[in-house]
């Protein structure tokens, strides 16, 4: 299973390009972890897993590079407000993780 991590909320300014590197855990050999606490998870990441980043849901001004996980947001003034984005990472061996978050587009303050 691949484990995806994105900051809980993002802010993008209308009229500007915002870049954000989506991150995923990487293993040094076999990494296996299990949590029986309140946030239960089980994860296994192996060296040489080829990760694939996918945009499951998001506005048209969001682009995601499938190999690097680099996300670019290019909102315009008409996009001001909150938008939901859902990302997925796959490890090519059936492992997958999904994370959703909101991005807030704020007004361009340049004269």
């Amino acid at each position: 299973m691949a484990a995806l991590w994105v900051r809980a909320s993002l802010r993008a300014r209308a009229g500007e390009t915002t870049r954000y590197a989506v991150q995923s855990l990487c293993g040094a050999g076999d990494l296996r972890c299990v949590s029986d606490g309140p946030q239960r998870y089980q994860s296994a990441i192996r060296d040489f897993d080829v990760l694939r980043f996918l945009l499951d849901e998001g506005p048209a001004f969001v682009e995601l590079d499938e190999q690097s996980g680099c996300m670019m947001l290019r909102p315009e003034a008409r996009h001001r407000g909150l938008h939901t984005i859902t990302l997925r990472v796959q490890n090519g061996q059936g492992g997958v993780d999904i994370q959703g978050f909101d991005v807030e587009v704020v007004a361009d303050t340049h004269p």
Side-chain angles (χ1 to χ4, degrees):
M1 178 182 287
L4 185 63
W5 182 82
V6 176
R7 189 171 59 199
S9 65
L10 294 174
R11 181 174 277 178
R13 189 168 308 282
E16 295 181 5
T17 298
T18 301
R19 289 177 178 81
Y20 183 79
V22 176
Q23 298 176 19
S24 180
L25 292 177
C26 296
D30 269 0
L31 169 65
R32 299 183 194 285
C33 51
V34 176
S35 170
D36 293 324
Q39 295 184 343
R40 300 181 135 192
Y41 63 87
Q42 180 173 346
S43 185
I45 299 174
R46 293 162 290 279
D47 268 351
F48 310 111
D49 280 356
V50 176
L51 300 180
R52 184 172 167 219
F53 297 89
L54 303 167
L55 179 64
D56 279 358
E57 174 188 3
F61 63 82
V62 177
E63 296 176 29
L64 180 67
D65 184 275
E66 194 173 287
Q67 278 106 23
S68 71
C70 181
M71 184 170 57
M72 295 200 346
L73 299 91
R74 294 184 174 109
E76 298 174 6
R78 64 188 170 96
H79 296 121
R80 287 190 340 196
L82 285 176
H83 302 270
T84 299
I85 297 175
T86 305
L87 302 178
R88 174 187 309 260
V89 63
Q90 299 174 333
N91 70 356
Q93 299 185 38
V96 65
D97 193 19
I98 300 170
Q99 184 174 3
F101 58 95
D102 290 328
V103 61
E104 180 183 11
V105 176
V106 296
D108 180 5
T109 59
H110 298 294

